[in-house]
Amino acid sequence: MKIKSKIEGADDWLFIEEIPELYSPNTPLSEKNVNIKSLPAQKLVNYQLSAGGLFLVHSTMQFSEHVKVLSEIEGEAITSQFIFYGTHPSNEKTIDKEGRRTGSRHNIRYIPSIKGKYPMMPDIEYKYFLLVLSREYYFHLIDQHSLLHSNFVREILKGRYTSYAAKDLPVTTEMKRVINDICECKRNGELKRLHTESKILELLMLQLEQMQSGMAEVDKYMIKQDDLKKIEHARDILDAEYTYPPTIIELAKQIALNEFKLKRGFKEYFGTTIYGYVTRLRMEEARRLILDEKKSIGQVAAAVGFNHQSHLTDAFKRYFGILPSEIKSDEEQPLALNAK
């Protein structure tokens, strides 16, 4: 399997990699950072990671003029692609008026070789996170006979280009968290390989979960722009007050939105319930306090809003699968925590 990409008209490739088709757990990870500083690229940074059956690239791109990025995959591949569209502040109104893409989107695709040209607008910051998996690597992560993707597998076996979801879907907060975990991992060697693979599986799980959920169908429920701002305000309130968060009734009053729209809109937009979001904030902070600040379990319980140490212990075990007392630093941790 060969993956390559470059700006149309440029001599140098952004990346060009030959990836083994076979899944090989013994293949060491190869990492690379590419930073191109030349016109028309105002910003072009690539982080690349590869191993047996896997290629991963995280790119940030911004151009001073219209360009096209040429991309090519030779051989069968399953791709998981995330695109985040930003805007240049001075062009924000023009971009909205002209209907250019904003926000984020993702999908899972089977590609039996493809060449494409992708136009890039000037002064828009694009962020891409792309996983390219060989067929064997993908089926190592998700069993070929799993009912989770039976229709998708049917098209793979026929060798037909296909997308798991008919329409690209918005990227949830949980997906962004996992992507950040992958890109910011400080582990090395075998620990990094294990961490990366576990996070790739978690990311695919979140994608499949959203794609199978009726809540993800924009035709069934579309969040109005005014409601969206209120839902984002609700998220900001929870970020600031997660230790002792307001009730849903109180939160709905604070943002002037009825409870039904708040609960449904929050789940749709952020990919998790309000309770699930607060739980994640509390558990991640608890983990940080234990690892980084060496706080006692009692101190951590008080800091993240639990009245009793036992309540924190129970919640921590449900979320991470281990007790707070069992957590170790990154240097000692044999495997990444499997947060739900």
mmCIF file of all heavy atoms in Angstrom, residues 250-271:
data_model
loop_
_atom_site.group_PDB
_atom_site.id
_atom_site.type_symbol
_atom_site.label_atom_id
_atom_site.label_comp_id
_atom_site.label_asym_id
_atom_site.label_seq_id
_atom_site.Cartn_x
_atom_site.Cartn_y
_atom_site.Cartn_z
ATOM 1 N N GLU A 250 -31.678 23.869 36.259
ATOM 2 C CA GLU A 250 -30.964 25.121 36.510
ATOM 3 C C GLU A 250 -30.163 25.558 35.292
ATOM 4 O O GLU A 250 -30.139 26.746 34.936
ATOM 5 C CB GLU A 250 -30.027 24.954 37.713
ATOM 6 C CG GLU A 250 -30.760 24.778 39.037
ATOM 7 C CD GLU A 250 -29.839 24.323 40.161
ATOM 8 O OE1 GLU A 250 -28.729 23.811 39.865
ATOM 9 O OE2 GLU A 250 -30.225 24.475 41.334
ATOM 10 N N LEU A 251 -29.530 24.593 34.637
ATOM 11 C CA LEU A 251 -28.721 24.904 33.458
ATOM 12 C C LEU A 251 -29.598 25.425 32.317
ATOM 13 O O LEU A 251 -29.236 26.391 31.633
ATOM 14 C CB LEU A 251 -27.952 23.659 33.012
ATOM 15 C CG LEU A 251 -26.921 23.829 31.889
ATOM 16 C CD1 LEU A 251 -25.845 24.832 32.290
ATOM 17 C CD2 LEU A 251 -26.293 22.476 31.544
ATOM 18 N N ALA A 252 -30.753 24.789 32.127
ATOM 19 C CA ALA A 252 -31.680 25.232 31.086
ATOM 20 C C ALA A 252 -32.133 26.672 31.323
ATOM 21 O O ALA A 252 -32.235 27.472 30.379
ATOM 22 C CB ALA A 252 -32.883 24.295 31.025
ATOM 23 N N LYS A 253 -32.390 27.017 32.578
ATOM 24 C CA LYS A 253 -32.786 28.390 32.907
ATOM 25 C C LYS A 253 -31.659 29.376 32.647
ATOM 26 O O LYS A 253 -31.883 30.482 32.141
ATOM 27 C CB LYS A 253 -33.230 28.467 34.368
ATOM 28 C CG LYS A 253 -34.573 27.801 34.652
ATOM 29 C CD LYS A 253 -34.956 27.909 36.123
ATOM 30 C CE LYS A 253 -36.306 27.263 36.387
ATOM 31 N NZ LYS A 253 -36.670 27.307 37.832
ATOM 32 N N GLN A 254 -30.436 28.983 32.985
ATOM 33 C CA GLN A 254 -29.293 29.872 32.800
ATOM 34 C C GLN A 254 -29.058 30.224 31.337
ATOM 35 O O GLN A 254 -28.648 31.336 31.018
ATOM 36 C CB GLN A 254 -28.027 29.234 33.380
ATOM 37 C CG GLN A 254 -27.968 29.208 34.893
ATOM 38 C CD GLN A 254 -26.633 28.672 35.387
ATOM 39 O OE1 GLN A 254 -25.577 29.164 35.011
ATOM 40 N NE2 GLN A 254 -26.683 27.658 36.233
ATOM 41 N N ILE A 255 -29.312 29.275 30.437
ATOM 42 C CA ILE A 255 -29.050 29.533 29.018
ATOM 43 C C ILE A 255 -30.321 29.874 28.240
ATOM 44 O O ILE A 255 -30.271 30.065 27.021
ATOM 45 C CB ILE A 255 -28.347 28.326 28.362
ATOM 46 C CG1 ILE A 255 -29.260 27.093 28.346
ATOM 47 C CG2 ILE A 255 -27.030 28.034 29.063
ATOM 48 C CD1 ILE A 255 -28.733 25.944 27.522
ATOM 49 N N ALA A 256 -31.463 29.920 28.956
ATOM 50 C CA ALA A 256 -32.752 30.271 28.342
ATOM 51 C C ALA A 256 -33.130 29.318 27.207
ATOM 52 O O ALA A 256 -33.475 29.726 26.091
ATOM 53 C CB ALA A 256 -32.733 31.714 27.830
ATOM 54 N N LEU A 257 -33.043 28.007 27.508
ATOM 55 C CA LEU A 257 -33.429 26.978 26.541
ATOM 56 C C LEU A 257 -34.178 25.895 27.297
ATOM 57 O O LEU A 257 -33.816 25.563 28.424
ATOM 58 C CB LEU A 257 -32.169 26.389 25.885
ATOM 59 C CG LEU A 257 -32.369 25.463 24.675
ATOM 60 C CD1 LEU A 257 -32.924 26.246 23.495
ATOM 61 C CD2 LEU A 257 -31.043 24.805 24.288
ATOM 62 N N ASN A 258 -35.240 25.342 26.689
ATOM 63 C CA ASN A 258 -35.999 24.333 27.431
ATOM 64 C C ASN A 258 -35.185 23.053 27.604
ATOM 65 O O ASN A 258 -34.242 22.773 26.864
ATOM 66 C CB ASN A 258 -37.359 24.067 26.780
ATOM 67 C CG ASN A 258 -37.277 23.317 25.464
ATOM 68 O OD1 ASN A 258 -36.681 22.260 25.363
ATOM 69 N ND2 ASN A 258 -37.906 23.881 24.427
ATOM 70 N N GLU A 259 -35.559 22.272 28.612
ATOM 71 C CA GLU A 259 -34.770 21.093 28.997
ATOM 72 C C GLU A 259 -34.638 20.085 27.857
ATOM 73 O O GLU A 259 -33.569 19.506 27.645
ATOM 74 C CB GLU A 259 -35.412 20.414 30.204
ATOM 75 C CG GLU A 259 -35.397 21.236 31.479
ATOM 76 C CD GLU A 259 -36.212 20.572 32.572
ATOM 77 O OE1 GLU A 259 -35.989 19.357 32.808
ATOM 78 O OE2 GLU A 259 -37.078 21.239 33.163
ATOM 79 N N PHE A 260 -35.724 19.882 27.113
ATOM 80 C CA PHE A 260 -35.700 18.901 26.029
ATOM 81 C C PHE A 260 -34.662 19.289 24.982
ATOM 82 O O PHE A 260 -33.837 18.478 24.563
ATOM 83 C CB PHE A 260 -37.081 18.790 25.386
ATOM 84 C CG PHE A 260 -37.120 17.865 24.193
ATOM 85 C CD1 PHE A 260 -37.160 16.489 24.367
ATOM 86 C CD2 PHE A 260 -37.111 18.372 22.898
ATOM 87 C CE1 PHE A 260 -37.183 15.636 23.271
ATOM 88 C CE2 PHE A 260 -37.142 17.531 21.800
ATOM 89 C CZ PHE A 260 -37.176 16.155 21.988
ATOM 90 N N LYS A 261 -34.694 20.550 24.537
ATOM 91 C CA LYS A 261 -33.737 21.007 23.523
ATOM 92 C C LYS A 261 -32.314 20.972 24.058
ATOM 93 O O LYS A 261 -31.372 20.666 23.328
ATOM 94 C CB LYS A 261 -34.092 22.421 23.061
ATOM 95 C CG LYS A 261 -35.308 22.496 22.151
ATOM 96 C CD LYS A 261 -35.501 23.911 21.630
ATOM 97 C CE LYS A 261 -36.660 23.981 20.640
ATOM 98 N NZ LYS A 261 -36.841 25.353 20.105
ATOM 99 N N LEU A 262 -32.148 21.304 25.333
ATOM 100 C CA LEU A 262 -30.822 21.278 25.935
ATOM 101 C C LEU A 262 -30.263 19.862 25.939
ATOM 102 O O LEU A 262 -29.138 19.622 25.476
ATOM 103 C CB LEU A 262 -30.885 21.821 27.365
ATOM 104 C CG LEU A 262 -29.626 21.618 28.221
ATOM 105 C CD1 LEU A 262 -28.424 22.293 27.578
ATOM 106 C CD2 LEU A 262 -29.865 22.139 29.634
ATOM 107 N N LYS A 263 -31.024 18.896 26.445
ATOM 108 C CA LYS A 263 -30.532 17.529 26.548
ATOM 109 C C LYS A 263 -30.284 16.911 25.174
ATOM 110 O O LYS A 263 -29.241 16.298 24.933
ATOM 111 C CB LYS A 263 -31.522 16.672 27.348
ATOM 112 C CG LYS A 263 -31.569 17.001 28.833
ATOM 113 C CD LYS A 263 -32.354 15.991 29.636
ATOM 114 C CE LYS A 263 -33.834 16.048 29.323
ATOM 115 N NZ LYS A 263 -34.612 15.137 30.204
ATOM 116 N N ARG A 264 -31.250 17.104 24.285
ATOM 117 C CA ARG A 264 -31.116 16.497 22.963
ATOM 118 C C ARG A 264 -30.023 17.183 22.151
ATOM 119 O O ARG A 264 -29.213 16.536 21.489
ATOM 120 C CB ARG A 264 -32.453 16.580 22.226
ATOM 121 C CG ARG A 264 -32.477 15.779 20.932
ATOM 122 C CD ARG A 264 -33.873 15.727 20.352
ATOM 123 N NE ARG A 264 -33.931 14.839 19.202
ATOM 124 C CZ ARG A 264 -35.018 14.598 18.500
ATOM 125 N NH1 ARG A 264 -36.165 15.188 18.842
ATOM 126 N NH2 ARG A 264 -35.000 13.785 17.474
ATOM 127 N N GLY A 265 -30.003 18.518 22.210
ATOM 128 C CA GLY A 265 -28.999 19.263 21.467
ATOM 129 C C GLY A 265 -27.584 19.005 21.969
ATOM 130 O O GLY A 265 -26.645 18.882 21.184
ATOM 131 N N PHE A 266 -27.419 18.905 23.287
ATOM 132 C CA PHE A 266 -26.102 18.652 23.867
ATOM 133 C C PHE A 266 -25.590 17.292 23.416
ATOM 134 O O PHE A 266 -24.434 17.149 23.012
ATOM 135 C CB PHE A 266 -26.192 18.711 25.396
ATOM 136 C CG PHE A 266 -24.853 18.847 26.076
ATOM 137 C CD1 PHE A 266 -24.398 20.084 26.487
ATOM 138 C CD2 PHE A 266 -24.060 17.735 26.314
ATOM 139 C CE1 PHE A 266 -23.163 20.223 27.121
ATOM 140 C CE2 PHE A 266 -22.830 17.858 26.937
ATOM 141 C CZ PHE A 266 -22.379 19.105 27.341
ATOM 142 N N LYS A 267 -26.440 16.284 23.470
ATOM 143 C CA LYS A 267 -26.066 14.936 23.047
ATOM 144 C C LYS A 267 -25.694 14.911 21.569
ATOM 145 O O LYS A 267 -24.700 14.292 21.163
ATOM 146 C CB LYS A 267 -27.220 13.970 23.324
ATOM 147 C CG LYS A 267 -27.081 12.587 22.712
ATOM 148 C CD LYS A 267 -25.987 11.768 23.360
ATOM 149 C CE LYS A 267 -25.984 10.355 22.790
ATOM 150 N NZ LYS A 267 -24.901 9.530 23.331
ATOM 151 N N GLU A 268 -26.477 15.603 20.746
ATOM 152 C CA GLU A 268 -26.237 15.632 19.304
ATOM 153 C C GLU A 268 -24.925 16.338 18.977
ATOM 154 O O GLU A 268 -24.122 15.847 18.179
ATOM 155 C CB GLU A 268 -27.404 16.338 18.609
ATOM 156 C CG GLU A 268 -27.153 16.729 17.147
ATOM 157 C CD GLU A 268 -27.080 15.551 16.210
ATOM 158 O OE1 GLU A 268 -27.499 14.452 16.606
ATOM 159 O OE2 GLU A 268 -26.589 15.730 15.097
ATOM 160 N N TYR A 269 -24.707 17.478 19.599
ATOM 161 C CA TYR A 269 -23.571 18.316 19.232
ATOM 162 C C TYR A 269 -22.257 17.819 19.823
ATOM 163 O O TYR A 269 -21.220 17.831 19.160
ATOM 164 C CB TYR A 269 -23.831 19.754 19.678
ATOM 165 C CG TYR A 269 -22.834 20.761 19.155
ATOM 166 C CD1 TYR A 269 -22.583 20.895 17.787
ATOM 167 C CD2 TYR A 269 -22.145 21.579 20.029
ATOM 168 C CE1 TYR A 269 -21.680 21.815 17.307
ATOM 169 C CE2 TYR A 269 -21.234 22.516 19.552
ATOM 170 C CZ TYR A 269 -21.010 22.624 18.203
ATOM 171 O OH TYR A 269 -20.102 23.552 17.725
ATOM 172 N N PHE A 270 -22.277 17.368 21.079
ATOM 173 C CA PHE A 270 -21.046 16.967 21.746
ATOM 174 C C PHE A 270 -20.847 15.456 21.813
ATOM 175 O O PHE A 270 -19.814 14.979 22.278
ATOM 176 C CB PHE A 270 -20.993 17.557 23.161
ATOM 177 C CG PHE A 270 -20.888 19.051 23.171
ATOM 178 C CD1 PHE A 270 -21.931 19.833 23.640
ATOM 179 C CD2 PHE A 270 -19.759 19.686 22.687
ATOM 180 C CE1 PHE A 270 -21.843 21.217 23.642
ATOM 181 C CE2 PHE A 270 -19.656 21.073 22.679
ATOM 182 C CZ PHE A 270 -20.702 21.840 23.167
ATOM 183 N N GLY A 271 -21.838 14.693 21.363
ATOM 184 C CA GLY A 271 -21.679 13.247 21.297
ATOM 185 C C GLY A 271 -21.722 12.546 22.640
ATOM 186 O O GLY A 271 -21.333 11.382 22.751
#
